[in-house]
Amino acid sequence: MRTPGEFATGHLPGAVNIPLDRLEAGLADLRQAAGRRPLLLVCASGARSGRAAVILASRGIGATSLAGGTRGWSSAGHPLAHPPGPVRSVWAMERQVRFTAGSVVLLGLLLGLSASIAGGLVFSALTDTCGLAVVLGRLPWNRRGRGDVRPR
């Protein structure tokens, strides 16, 4: 459920990466995989994988979300796998969102656009969506990289 950039910074051993924004495209592969073994969905904190589990359940695919995500896994002393070669230094999506949102709010204050920015943040909270994370996930450093694996 993580972006390829996040996945490359460390993931559960044996994990296959399907970012949340590509979940629909991977439904057939996920349905097939779920028939062979239980699916464990993982993201950085557990929030995106929880949303993905709900989406998959609505499509008849059973899956479980790892509470606490890779942060919780690593904090509990479990190892993270890394792709071969140098580790790409990519900020976590949450950090990218905070930086971009803060920059936009600051720019909005300077340009007098604060009301529209605040409205977007309220809408994001009410709908429990993050359009900014979707946009940031499509930037080059968050796209397919060495650590991104296609489902089998």
Side-chain angles (χ1 to χ4, degrees), residues 74-94:
S74 180
S75 294
H78 301 294
L80 291 177
H82 299 278
V87 175
R88 290 173 41 191
S89 178
V90 176
W91 283 2
M93 183 57 63
E94 181 184 335

Side-chain angles (χ1 to χ4, degrees), residues 102-130:
S103 297
V104 169
V105 169
L106 184 59
L107 183 62
L109 285 170
L110 296 173
L111 299 176
L113 302 172
S114 298
S116 60
I117 295 167
L121 290 171
V122 169
F123 176 80
S124 174
L126 291 173
T127 60
D128 196 22
T129 60
C130 187

Side-chain angles (χ1 to χ4, degrees), residues 1-4 6-21 23 30 38-54 56 62-75 78-81 93 147-148:
M1 303 298 99
R2 302 172 76 201
T3 68
E6 290 174 312
F7 189 80
T9 63
H11 52 272
L12 273 65
V16 173
N17 190 34
I18 300 177
L20 184 58
D21 67 342
L23 188 63
L30 288 167
L39 293 181
L40 177 64
L41 307 178
V42 183
C43 67
S45 67
R48 284 177 282 176
S49 58
R51 282 197 302 272
V54 170
L56 292 178
T64 303
S65 173
L66 178 64
T70 54
R71 281 190 220 126
W73 175 269
S74 180
S75 294
H78 301 294
L80 291 177
M93 183 57 63
D148 193 16

